Amino acid sequence: MCGIAGFSNFDADYTCSQSNYVSILENMSDTLYHRGPDENGHYLSRHFGLAHARLSIIDLANGKQPMYRSVGGYTYAICYNGELYNTAELRNDLIAKGWKFKTTSDTEVILIGHIEYGTSFVEKLNGIFAYAFVNEKDQEISLYRDRNGIKPLFYTLFNNTLLFGSELKAIFAYPEYQPRVDKNGLNEIFSIGPARTSGCGIFKDIYEILPGHYLMHKDGFMKLHCYWKLISKPHTDSYEETIEKTRFLVTDSISRQMVSDVPICTFLSGGIDSSLVSAVCAYELKKQGKQLQTYSFDFVNNDKYFKSNPFQPSSDKPYATKMVEFLDSKHTYLECDNYTMADCLYESVDARDLPAMADVDSSMLHFCRQVKQFNKVTLTGECADEIFGGYPWFHKEECFNANTFPWSMDINARKSFLSDSFLAELRMEDYINKTYEASIAETPRLSEDSKTEARRREISYLNLRWFMQTLLDRMDRTSMYSGLEARVPFADHRIIEYVWNVPWSIKYKDNMVKHLLRESARGLLPDEILFRKKSPYPKTYDPAYEQLLQKRFIDIIENPSSPILTFIDKKKVYQFLNSPSDYAKPWYGQLMAGPQMIAYMIQVNYWLEKYHIDIL
């Protein structure tokens, strides 16, 4: 994994002031150092500039970027962030067409593939990626993003210059650029955050390449092209065939994503998703005479304060321990204390350039930092719930029938800190309804679906395009902040394409959540793990953590220079802080309740302060 950035302007000649523009590229690259601390590089020509910060995973010696190749007197260049999982097949195809390779890196495969096939080559890729490809022959630059938006890529047009970067901070490093936020951006933060409308960069006139799309910039014009989207079609496989094919797709994806020239590890919670990923990895490594390294996460004092609730029925540690014994893995138990988690709230904003999922982000950032001390690459169980229907809103009636985002049905908690005048200006309900209805309208439909099955597709699509994207953002930023590459085998597009059309009667057979995944994993895991009731990412229940947050937030609202005072009502804040917390009533997802609302507001204030944002 790496960081990429760059610029393009067809009215400019960068070679006339080469040292100046190289310096700009270096500054943009420096903002992404955490994503690629191993080395950096740049490419500059008349109309194009590329910058790269590299985390070396494949072909450690020869994979330097940007990478370029001259063919027929013209140069083609690429800067790439990602991993391909079908590199060997693609390389063999290109070799058969007469191409010769100088490295074993997947970067060179993509570079040559685009020279050979043009833009359509992206359709052949199985992987997680965001990259920029410069075609000097046709005088064009194209920006590509993987099918499910696992790797980020932002862009804007500033003074006729296309600016882009893996993270927003790379764009902000361009001279004279000033971050601005209008009412739509504020609605993204306060009304639907920490989620984000697909393609929206929050800051005015900044966008993100949509998943499954590429942006072409040529002759001063930009156009977004879709190269992949979900298609609804009848599912014709039998129950037994569905189980067999799902098992193959999942295990094949996990095995493919083990490709690395450095040792891999896995995150192991003791739930079915991470346990299945770990089991396949451990099996493959044992065939090579190697032992899998695993990590699990918890919080100091959770053995004392853990509270079972409908969203989090059991603690992870006993199940993680059982899996460690089953796998014979080399395991490390990591813990996060209250002060570390609170302190990392600020760094998680630094990582995302936006307010994040409060302590869900800050704790993961801390854990990833600890893992990076020993490993560069990890595989996770992320995305299985969105794909296989693991969340309560897939089957709980009140969530299923809600005419809004089912993970954020009650917005009263969002209003609890905000002033009446700001609420009147935001018109939160209107913004939420508009974004919700737009996503519902995009849902790929099948004419023969029953009304209930049609709604299943809507819920599934919302999860893939909204909730899963939020968690993928979290995983990318919190891991890459310390230069740790986190892979997500369940988000393989082949799995998503297939499971999308499997009827709910199979996914939820015998009223069992994630029945399809559980049955496809029979024999790979102990039954105690295989049929464990879902328990999400852990959180702390220590009351001292909430008290710490309250103290920090009071310090903020009593400081007259705090930028968040523009939006909040101090009287409402104190009323909220003096009310008892209800951990069983999250305002976002399953984990973000009262303490996380305080933490989120702390992040919002820090974000406004750090980025010196102009509010329009």
Side-chain angles (χ1 to χ4, degrees):
M1 266 352 135
C2 307
I4 69 171
F7 45 72
S8 171
N9 187 327
F10 294 96
D11 296 324
D13 184 349
Y14 297 133
T15 61
C16 290
S17 184
Q18 187 167 343
S19 61
N20 175 54
Y21 287 105
V22 166
S23 178
I24 294 172
L25 287 172
E26 288 175 344
N27 289 340
M28 296 175 81
S29 176
D30 285 348
T31 68
L32 303 173
Y33 173 80
H34 52 280
R35 296 185 70 91
D38 293 332
E39 61 182 350
N40 57 39
H42 66 267
Y43 170 88
L44 188 70
S45 64
R46 184 178 180 186
H47 299 310
F48 309 107
L50 304 178
H52 191 265
R54 185 186 181 210
L55 180 68
S56 51
I57 303 297
I58 302 292
D59 197 349
L60 309 187
N62 302 307
K64 185 177 175 62
Q65 295 191 50
M67 190 176 288
Y68 50 90
R69 176 76 68 97
S70 293
V71 178
Y74 295 99
T75 300
Y76 303 83
I78 185 173
C79 61
Y80 160 68
N81 166 33
E83 296 292 346
L84 285 192
Y85 305 127
N86 62 338
T87 300
E89 297 98 310
L90 296 174
R91 182 185 286 112
N92 290 338
D93 170 70
L94 292 167
I95 290 173
K97 292 184 179 298
W99 290 95
K100 297 186 183 301
F101 287 83
K102 301 175 183 178
T103 76
T104 60
S105 72
D106 49 357
T107 307
E108 189 179 17
V109 169
I110 300 176
L111 172 63
I112 292 177
H114 273 289
I115 299 172
E116 171 69 29
Y117 289 103
T119 56
S120 66
F121 186 69
V122 69
E123 300 172 25
K124 300 177 180 289
L125 307 184
N126 180 338
I128 54 180
F129 53 82
Y131 60 92
F133 179 79
V134 168
N135 180 339
E136 297 283 6
K137 178 182 179 181
D138 296 330
Q139 287 294 286
E140 62 188 24
I141 183 172
S142 42
L143 307 180
Y144 296 82
R145 194 169 181 216
D146 63 61
R147 294 168 180 82
N148 292 298
I150 298 168
K151 292 290 104 181
L153 186 53
F154 296 92
Y155 71 97
T156 190
L157 193 64
F158 176 65
N159 293 339
N160 292 324
T161 299
L162 170 66
L163 306 176
F164 64 90
S166 295
E167 296 177 8
L168 291 160
K169 57 177 68 67
I171 292 174
F172 299 160
Y174 193 81
E176 299 181 13
Y177 189 89
Q178 173 62 38
R180 301 175 300 159
V181 174
D182 60 13
K183 189 171 82 169
N184 285 341
L186 292 174
N187 260 305
E188 291 282 327
I189 296 296
F190 291 106
S191 301
I192 61 176
R196 185 160 50 86
T197 302
S198 187
C200 173
I202 306 295
F203 295 92
K204 183 171 174 55
D205 298 326
I206 292 185
Y207 307 94
E208 189 168 22
I209 303 295
L210 289 168
H213 285 68
Y214 67 90
L215 180 78
M216 179 67 72
H217 187 223
K218 183 175 182 177
D219 299 327
F221 297 97
M222 297 192 303
K223 186 176 181 181
L224 197 63
H225 300 264
C226 177
Y227 70 86
W228 179 86
K229 60 182 178 180
L230 280 172
I231 298 174
S232 291
K233 55 187 178 183
H235 183 74
T236 57
D237 290 346
S238 68
Y239 171 77
E240 291 76 15
E241 289 170 336
T242 302
I243 299 296
E244 182 181 358
K245 189 164 186 178
T246 301
R247 183 185 179 100
F248 167 76
L249 288 172
V250 169
T251 55
D252 182 66
S253 176
I254 298 168
S255 298
R256 283 177 179 268
Q257 297 199 21
M258 293 176 67
V259 59
S260 175
D261 289 341
V262 297
I264 67 162
C265 66
T266 65
F267 291 172
L268 177 64
S269 70
I272 178 178
D273 309 331
S274 65
S275 296
L276 180 53
V277 170
S278 298
V280 174
C281 288
Y283 175 75
E284 294 295 330
L285 288 176
K286 281 179 181 176
K287 290 193 294 187
Q288 305 170 30
K290 300 177 182 178
Q291 186 180 28
L292 177 66
Q293 170 73 62
T294 54
Y295 297 90
S296 62
F297 313 136
D298 207 344
F299 297 88
V300 174
N301 292 330
N302 250 9
D303 54 341
K304 178 180 178 182
Y305 292 111
F306 176 79
K307 298 176 183 178
S308 178
N309 61 64
F311 292 103
Q312 204 152 23
S314 59
S315 176
D316 282 338
K317 189 168 184 178
Y319 295 93
T321 300
K322 292 180 186 298
M323 275 305 300
V324 169
E325 295 172 356
F326 176 76
L327 298 172
D328 187 29
S329 66
K330 181 182 178 183
H331 190 74
T332 302
Y333 294 95
L334 296 173
E335 284 191 323
C336 186
D337 62 65
N338 293 333
Y339 279 93
T340 299
M341 184 157 54
D343 289 345
C344 285
L345 287 172
Y346 312 104
E347 286 185 279
S348 62
V349 176
D350 296 340
R352 201 183 281 212
D353 299 312
L354 293 167
M357 292 184 71
D359 46 57
V360 183
D361 268 52
S362 66
S363 58
M364 179 59 81
L365 184 145
H366 168 70
F367 291 135
C368 287
R369 177 179 291 157
Q370 307 310 304
V371 172
K372 175 57 195 299
Q373 295 179 28
F374 308 99
N375 289 89
K376 270 189 177 184
V377 180
T378 186
L379 275 69
T380 82
E382 207 77 78
C383 301
D385 287 314
E386 291 86 348
I387 297 164
F388 289 93
Y391 291 120
W393 40 81
F394 279 96
H395 47 83
K396 288 184 71 171
E397 187 174 351
E398 64 269 30
C399 301
F400 186 78
N401 294 321
N403 192 30
T404 189
F405 299 110
W407 49 82
S408 191
M409 293 187 294
D410 186 353
I411 66 170
N412 287 326
R414 295 176 176 273
K415 297 179 174 181
S416 56
F417 287 7
L418 304 182
S419 69
D420 292 342
S421 59
F422 183 52
L423 286 170
E425 184 179 349
L426 275 186
R427 300 178 64 181
M428 297 173 75
E429 288 86 355
D430 291 347
Y431 192 84
I432 293 168
N433 291 339
K434 180 184 70 173
T435 54
Y436 170 77
E437 292 296 339
S439 291
I440 291 296
E442 292 175 1
T443 305
R445 306 191 181 275
L446 192 62
S447 59
E448 56 258 51
D449 280 346
S450 66
K451 184 178 179 180
T452 300
E453 196 66 20
R455 179 57 178 166
R456 298 270 182 227
R457 288 196 191 274
E458 292 176 352
I459 294 288
S460 296
Y461 190 76
L462 289 172
N463 272 269
L464 293 173
R465 278 292 172 257
W466 283 84
F467 201 76
M468 187 172 85
Q469 190 63 60
T470 307
L471 297 185
L472 287 171
D473 283 352
R474 176 194 69 151
M475 193 75 263
D476 175 83
R477 306 311 191 280
T478 58
S479 59
M480 292 307 296
Y481 190 71
S482 298
L484 174 70
E485 177 178 318
R487 299 176 180 176
V488 281
F490 285 111
D492 186 308
H493 70 277
R494 300 172 302 160
I495 298 174
I496 293 175
E497 286 174 341
Y498 184 72
V499 176
W500 169 258
N501 286 301
V502 174
W504 190 247
S505 58
I506 295 179
K507 292 178 185 174
Y508 196 61
K509 191 175 185 295
D510 300 327
N511 293 323
M512 181 187 294
V513 175
K514 288 159 67 174
H515 173 93
L516 173 57
L517 181 60
R518 296 181 200 274
E519 288 300 316
S520 69
R522 274 194 183 273
L524 299 177
L525 299 174
D527 283 356
E528 187 177 0
I529 302 296
L530 190 61
F531 297 103
R532 178 191 174 193
K533 190 174 182 181
K534 174 179 171 50
S535 188
Y537 177 80
K539 63 186 286 185
T540 185
Y541 291 86
D542 187 345
Y545 175 66
E546 185 172 3
Q547 293 164 13
L548 175 61
L549 293 178
Q550 288 188 6
K551 181 180 183 305
R552 292 191 178 187
F553 194 53
I554 289 172
D555 288 343
I556 289 171
I557 64 173
E558 292 301 336
N559 180 350
S561 64
S562 295
I564 200 170
L565 293 177
T566 304
F567 309 111
I568 66 171
D569 181 326
K570 287 172 64 173
K571 184 178 179 181
K572 286 186 178 181
V573 171
Y574 279 110
Q575 185 177 352
F576 182 95
L577 297 181
N578 291 327
S579 302
S581 294
D582 188 345
Y583 288 84
K585 288 186 178 180
W587 56 273
Y588 182 81
Q590 303 169 90
L591 300 175
M592 299 181 70
Q596 287 69 43
M597 175 57 72
I598 303 169
Y600 187 69
M601 290 298 173
I602 291 173
Q603 289 189 319
V604 171
N605 184 74
Y606 175 72
W607 174 67
L608 292 167
E609 202 169 53
K610 176 183 176 178
Y611 291 91
H612 307 291
I613 299 166
D614 284 343
I615 304 297
L616 303 179

